[in-house]
Amino acid sequence: MARRGGFPGGMGMPGNMNNLMKQAQKMQKQMEESQKALEEKEYTAAAGGGAVEVTVSGKKEVTKVKLSEEVVDPDDIEMLEDLIIAATNEALRKMEGDSSSVMSKLTGGLGNLPF
């Protein structure tokens, strides 16, 4: 009499499920390696025609701020603040874009699934 349901032989996982688990583990390892590599990268952006330059790490930390002398005007601190904000935000956008691109390549778009 034919057996219904369960795994063949009553033990272990079917071959396809075992392969799927191995692939998932491989993908997880690749994602961890990619995340580590991204955290070690730096992203730089400028504002005000290069008068302000900000560098951030893949860990979302500001690592460097470079200012041209002509942008340091004690009578216009607000402009300098705005340029620093603009350069920082652009550097963070670059980092996020790079991170999204790398992870998308690894997951083949699986990250967009509504789980």
Side-chain angles (χ1 to χ4, degrees):
M1 183 178 257
R3 201 166 173 210
R4 293 182 182 218
F7 295 125
M11 299 179 77
M13 288 188 257
N16 288 343
M17 182 62 87
N18 195 25
N19 287 340
L20 186 60
M21 291 297 290
K22 286 180 182 179
Q23 289 175 346
Q25 289 170 344
K26 181 180 177 183
M27 184 186 300
Q28 181 179 3
K29 184 178 179 184
Q30 289 174 330
M31 288 176 72
E32 288 170 0
E33 291 170 355
S34 294
Q35 186 64 39
K36 184 178 178 185
L38 285 168
E39 288 177 357
E40 293 173 359
K41 289 180 79 174
E42 289 190 328
Y43 303 85
T44 301
V52 173
E53 194 173 278
V54 175
T55 302
V56 297
S57 73
K59 292 181 181 181
K60 300 179 184 177
E61 297 172 341
V62 175
T63 58
K64 182 178 178 184
V65 176
K66 183 179 176 186
L67 306 174
S68 296
E69 285 184 30
E70 65 268 9
V71 79
V72 182
D73 180 355
D75 295 327
D76 197 0
I77 297 294
E78 189 175 300
M79 180 192 67
L80 178 56
E81 292 169 342
D82 290 344
L83 291 173
I84 292 170
I85 290 169
T88 302
N89 287 335
E90 181 59 26
L92 289 170
R93 276 191 288 276
K94 286 181 177 183
M95 185 273 307
E96 289 291 337
D98 195 21
S99 178
S100 293
S101 175
V102 168
M103 290 302 155
S104 180
K105 287 177 186 174
L106 283 175
T107 62
L110 292 177
N112 296 329
L113 296 176
F115 291 118

